Amino acid sequence: MSKLKIAVQKSGRLNEDSMALLKDIGISIDNGKDQLKASAANFPLEVFYLRNGDIPQYLRDGVVDIAIIGENVLIEKGQELVIAERLGFSKCRVSIAVPKASKAKCLKDLQGQRIATSYPNTVNQFLEQNGITAQLHIINGSVEIAPNIGLADGICDIVSSGSTLFKNGLKEVEVLLKSEAVLAVSPSISKDNQKLLEKLQFRIQSVLRGQNSKYVLLNAPNDKLEEIISVLPGMKSPTVLPLAEKGWSSVHSVIDKNEFWEVIDELKEKGAQGILVCPIEKMVL
């Protein structure tokens, strides 16, 4: 029987988020300590635990069929690889930073400067597009120390909260790109494994829709029902049920979590009462 081979980062936050997603979509993986490969107990899936920077080559070579990987790594090492799904977690940005005492305040101030980075392809392309010439020092790991030891005038690295920059006396002057975890696909994936991938994507999409939505229940006076329903688009249309109290109805719907407070405020203004909001584990369309 064919098995879908997926690569995930060996350790770190992206590993934790990736394994949490697989658990959320109902895949049970028995992974012993320091194990580099593991099989799912309830889905034809093998998980390979790899160094993040090596994953694009494994996809290219067809060693793995798919991978959960940071988009920033794909941009640096595998721009030709196809993204099947944007996953919405492990968000970060690739930024240029300089010492706080530096006079550089924007990109043009980096003309002729020395930049230390683990992302030379990304930085070179960005600088060329903006007509800036700089000298790159390629460093793998601990890039932020380069200005402090006189190796570079600035750095280009991934930034999440910005706390690492702060601790090393650095400030951001330019954001090159924003990144999140994505599901990337090997160009040589087989037809059988493509079908397995489609099943996996269906589960992932159901989980992501649930994470991005809220289930809302409320009580509405019947004379305001039409106005209240107009605020609730839902998946198709809200569910409306009569209450025991005459002249009132119960309305059930789904709203986007990013529009949550604006919608709730509008519902209250239009007369909705007893508003109950619940998380959604999965939403299957």
Side-chain angles (χ1 to χ4, degrees):
M1 183 179 177
S2 179
K3 278 191 175 185
L4 188 66
K5 297 183 286 295
I6 182 171
V8 301
Q9 184 173 291
K10 188 177 179 181
S11 60
R13 188 175 64 126
L14 184 52
N15 167 275
E16 294 168 6
D17 291 342
S18 300
M19 300 312 294
L21 176 62
L22 293 178
K23 183 179 180 181
D24 286 343
I25 63 174
I27 293 177
S28 176
I29 297 163
D30 181 19
N31 177 34
K33 188 178 180 182
D34 298 326
Q35 197 172 344
L36 298 179
K37 187 174 79 167
S39 293
N42 56 353
F43 193 88
L45 182 78
E46 277 187 318
V47 182
F48 289 69
Y49 301 94
L50 305 171
R51 285 181 66 253
N52 211 28
D54 295 337
I55 290 176
Q57 192 59 50
Y58 278 88
L59 285 166
R60 252 187 232 105
D61 294 342
V63 175
V64 295
D65 300 302
I66 57 174
I68 298 176
I69 185 172
E71 186 180 7
N72 57 296
V73 179
L74 277 192
I75 291 171
E76 175 65 24
K77 296 188 173 183
Q79 283 194 356
E80 80 284 5
L81 295 168
V82 173
I83 293 174
E85 204 74 48
R86 307 188 76 83
L87 302 176
F89 57 78
S90 294
K91 291 187 177 182
C92 65
R93 55 194 181 273
V94 177
S95 296
I96 293 176
V98 298
K100 288 180 180 177
S102 172
K103 293 181 180 179
K105 295 181 179 179
C106 60
L107 182 61
K108 66 181 178 61
D109 294 334
L110 298 171
Q111 178 69 35
Q113 300 291 294
R114 300 166 300 161
I115 301 174
T117 186
S118 300
Y119 297 90
N121 295 330
T122 303
V123 178
N124 269 325
Q125 186 175 357
F126 183 81
L127 294 178
E128 285 177 13
Q129 289 172 350
N130 288 277
I132 301 294
T133 302
Q135 181 183 348
L136 297 192
H137 289 280
I138 301 171
I139 299 177
N140 293 315
S142 301
V143 173
E144 54 279 336
I145 199 174
N148 293 329
I149 61 175
L151 182 63
D153 303 299
I155 68 164
C156 182
D157 202 11
I158 58 170
V159 179
S160 295
S161 65
S163 61
T164 301
L165 294 183
F166 179 79
K167 289 174 185 176
N168 286 276
L170 300 171
K171 62 181 180 181
E172 282 182 84
V173 292
E174 188 75 26
V175 177
L176 279 65
L177 59 93
K178 293 184 179 179
S179 173
E180 64 183 280
V182 297
L183 185 69
V185 184
S186 168
S188 57
I189 187 172
S190 68
K191 288 184 179 179
D192 287 342
N193 283 353
Q194 180 64 43
K195 290 179 181 178
L196 290 174
L197 171 58
E198 289 167 8
K199 289 183 179 180
L200 197 76
Q201 275 188 265
F202 174 77
R203 295 190 186 190
I204 290 173
Q205 289 164 0
S206 298
V207 168
L208 295 180
R209 274 194 296 265
Q211 291 174 351
N212 291 323
S213 305
K214 298 286 186 182
Y215 191 71
V216 178
L217 302 86
L218 58 89
N219 297 328
N222 288 345
D223 60 346
K224 297 288 184 67
L225 197 56
E226 194 171 323
E227 285 183 66
I228 288 171
I229 287 175
S230 70
V231 181
L232 294 166
M235 288 181 284
K236 287 190 177 177
S237 65
T239 299
V240 180
L241 301 170
L243 289 178
E245 184 176 343
K246 190 175 181 181
W248 286 80
S249 296
S250 174
V251 180
H252 301 217
S253 189
V254 173
I255 60 176
D256 189 304
K257 72 172 186 179
N258 296 318
E259 301 172 357
F260 169 73
W261 287 113
E262 291 83 355
V263 171
I264 295 300
D265 288 341
E266 195 170 352
L267 288 171
K268 288 180 67 179
E269 287 175 10
K270 294 186 181 298
Q273 297 180 14
I275 302 171
L276 179 64
V277 181
C278 304
I280 299 174
E281 185 176 321
K282 298 173 183 69
M283 194 161 79
V284 181
L285 298 183

